Amino acid sequence: MINKLTRRLLGFLLFSCLSLSVIGQERLFDMHIVRLNALPLAIGSYNVSYETPFSSQWSAVMSANFRPMGSIPFEKRVSNYYTDNEVRFNTIKGSNFSITPEIRYYFLPSSALRGFYFGTFMQYAQYGLDIQLDYVGGKYKHNPSKFDLDGTINTITVGAAVGHQWRISELFYLDWQIIGPNFGLNKGHAQAVNTNGRPLDSGQEQDIHDKFKEFNIPMLDLDIQTSSTQVDIKTSGAWAGARIGLSLGYRF
């Protein structure tokens, strides 16, 4: 379903870009701005974007975000959110990559990419997970079964954004993307593999299945299969997010 949706969205985006290019062909690539978003840097993520105008009020933007695998922000708080006497989280790590094409409309004519704007965008994102946890239920309370969960979730979303961009000098711009909600679909797969040779019996399999089911994540559908040595998890359903940004841009 995601692949079919991706093809349709890419086709729509390409059609929109070509249409705007015809409308303002003389303006295409006569101005360039590259930007670095300062907000994601606080959590070890890197977001860069490139913008060029189609006309006096239309522009195309391409953004990319990358966060290498590492400890997630507020890891302790996330671990404490799920409190259970039989499942204990040791480490929670995550990564993220996304690419986001966007079309912007600036409300001021001949704005040279300044002032308030409205944008529509599509985003493909991939989220990586690496979680180490102990299952201390049953007969292994003092020597628990250890699991290493590794997997990815892929998402396709579309959204709209509002913001304001200032030209602060001859070469530098400041872009404030106020809010950019987006909605779409997700599809993911993860496996939690037993790493210390403490297989689960049938009762423990059902118990740990139920424990994973207790993760009540809005809109995320979980399909969980368990065996004595691993847990197989598939995700599907809706997905939602929001983009914000405060980016310093350089014009060339």
Side-chain angles (χ1 to χ4, degrees), residues 1-19:
M1 182 181 295
I2 285 186
N3 290 335
K4 185 176 181 180
L5 179 63
T6 302
R7 290 194 296 269
R8 289 182 178 179
L9 291 174
L10 287 175
F12 173 76
L13 181 70
L14 179 60
F15 174 78
S16 301
C17 290
L18 290 176
S19 299

Side-chain angles (χ1 to χ4, degrees), residues 40-85:
L41 295 175
I43 59 173
S45 188
Y46 305 92
N47 182 282
V48 295
S49 62
Y50 166 78
E51 182 175 13
T52 187
F54 281 111
S55 69
S56 61
Q57 291 178 269
W58 291 92
S59 72
V61 185
M62 182 65 74
S63 303
N65 186 84
F66 173 69
R67 185 182 189 275
M69 184 66 73
S71 298
I72 65 172
F74 313 110
E75 179 182 0
K76 190 68 174 178
R77 184 174 297 179
V78 173
S79 298
N80 291 337
Y81 175 79
Y82 182 78
T83 56
D84 191 284
N85 293 327

Side-chain angles (χ1 to χ4, degrees), residues 12-169:
F12 173 76
L13 181 70
L14 179 60
F15 174 78
S16 301
C17 290
L18 290 176
S19 299
L20 290 173
S21 178
V22 171
I23 293 172
Q25 189 171 4
E26 73 281 358
R27 297 271 308 191
L28 186 60
F29 301 130
D30 68 354
M31 177 179 173
H32 315 266
I33 298 178
V34 292
R35 291 188 294 261
L36 175 66
N37 191 346
L39 298 184
L41 295 175
I43 59 173
S45 188
Y46 305 92
N47 182 282
V48 295
S49 62
Y50 166 78
E51 182 175 13
T52 187
F54 281 111
S55 69
S56 61
Q57 291 178 269
W58 291 92
S59 72
V61 185
M62 182 65 74
S63 303
N65 186 84
F66 173 69
R67 185 182 189 275
M69 184 66 73
S71 298
I72 65 172
F74 313 110
E75 179 182 0
K76 190 68 174 178
R77 184 174 297 179
V78 173
S79 298
N80 291 337
Y81 175 79
Y82 182 78
T83 56
D84 191 284
N85 293 327
E86 297 183 342
V87 176
R88 181 173 61 241
F89 290 96
N90 293 321
T91 61
I92 304 177
K93 295 182 179 181
S95 65
N96 167 245
F97 169 78
S98 66
I99 186 166
T100 311
E102 177 183 358
I103 296 174
R104 286 185 179 180
Y105 174 78
Y106 286 85
F107 291 97
L108 295 177
S110 303
S111 64
L113 307 184
R114 290 180 293 177
F116 282 101
Y117 62 80
F118 174 81
T120 59
F121 62 89
M122 179 187 73
Q123 184 178 84
Y124 165 76
Q126 183 179 87
Y127 302 89
L129 294 172
D130 186 354
I131 302 174
Q132 294 181 354
L133 56 90
D134 295 344
Y135 173 69
V136 297
K139 59 185 178 181
Y140 297 132
K141 293 185 181 296
H142 301 293
N143 191 4
S145 297
K146 295 181 178 295
F147 288 86
D148 188 355
L149 187 150
D150 180 70
T152 59
I153 298 176
N154 298 285
T155 68
I156 290 287
T157 57
V158 293
V162 293
H164 190 286
Q165 183 159 246
W166 294 268
R167 184 176 178 178
I168 56 179
S169 72

